[in-house]
Amino acid sequence: MCEANAYLTKQGSEELILESIMILRPEGDRIYLQNIFGEQKWIKGRIKEMNLVEHRIVLEEVQSASL
Amino acid sequence: MCEANAYLTKQGSEELILESIMILRPEGDRIYLQNIFGEQKWIKGRIKEMNLVEHRIVLEEVQSASL
């Protein structure tokens, strides 16, 4: 199977947030993820890097500009 | 193999820009792509949607704001 796992980097550490991702779609400042089991998540962040051979999608948090 | 092909949407049509992509990395307003053969491309655009089961990465052009 060719899905990938998504990780979120936060202050240097990496957290697995969803496995076996089939669909990824950026929507404004969030990223919609759906896996082969039908689980869905919206992550506030952006794509840092994807490596499809290693089945890794690395996301990073977006720092909101505060006024 | 689990690579995907990248397509660029332009005014409704879709163009294949690189096959067998291994690495994808957004860099500012461009996206860096590298395939399993070592070919590299930088595309001015953003990710519209990815479907890893269908091996599709769809990119779309970013309209630059003109003054």
Side-chain angles (χ1 to χ4, degrees):
Chain A
M1 302 295 271
C2 291
E3 314 82 36
N5 299 326
Y7 301 86
L8 184 63
T9 58
K10 273 188 195 182
Q11 293 144 14
S13 71
E14 212 169 72
E15 180 194 350
L16 175 63
I17 45 171
L18 194 62
E19 291 181 289
S20 302
I21 288 165
M22 178 170 73
I23 293 172
L24 177 154
R25 187 166 59 230
E27 295 182 349
D29 65 349
R30 300 190 308 168
I31 297 171
Y32 169 76
L33 302 171
Q34 186 189 319
N35 71 9
I36 56 169
F37 309 111
E39 288 179 83
Q40 302 174 76
K41 280 197 179 176
W42 283 262
I43 303 298
K44 195 167 156 70
R46 64 180 158 222
I47 297 164
K48 188 176 177 192
E49 180 167 294
M50 292 178 25
N51 188 316
L52 297 180
V53 171
E54 295 178 358
H55 303 270
R56 279 167 57 83
I57 298 172
V58 182
L59 309 178
E60 61 186 351
E61 285 193 314
V62 176
Q63 298 296 327
S64 302
S66 49
L67 298 176
Chain B
M1 301 294 272
C2 290
E3 313 83 36
N5 299 326
Y7 302 86
L8 183 64
T9 59
K10 273 189 196 181
Q11 292 144 12
S13 69
E14 214 169 69
E15 179 194 352
L16 175 64
I17 46 172
L18 194 62
E19 292 182 288
S20 302
I21 288 165
M22 178 170 72
I23 293 172
L24 178 154
R25 187 167 58 232
E27 295 181 349
D29 64 349
R30 299 190 308 167
I31 296 172
Y32 169 76
L33 302 171
Q34 185 190 318
N35 72 7
I36 56 169
F37 309 111
E39 288 178 82
Q40 301 174 75
K41 281 197 178 176
W42 282 262
I43 304 298
K44 193 166 158 70
R46 64 181 157 222
I47 297 164
K48 187 175 177 193
E49 179 166 293
M50 291 178 26
N51 188 315
L52 298 179
V53 171
E54 295 178 357
H55 304 271
R56 278 169 57 83
I57 299 172
V58 182
L59 308 178
E60 61 187 350
E61 287 193 313
V62 176
Q63 297 297 328
S64 302
S66 50
L67 298 176

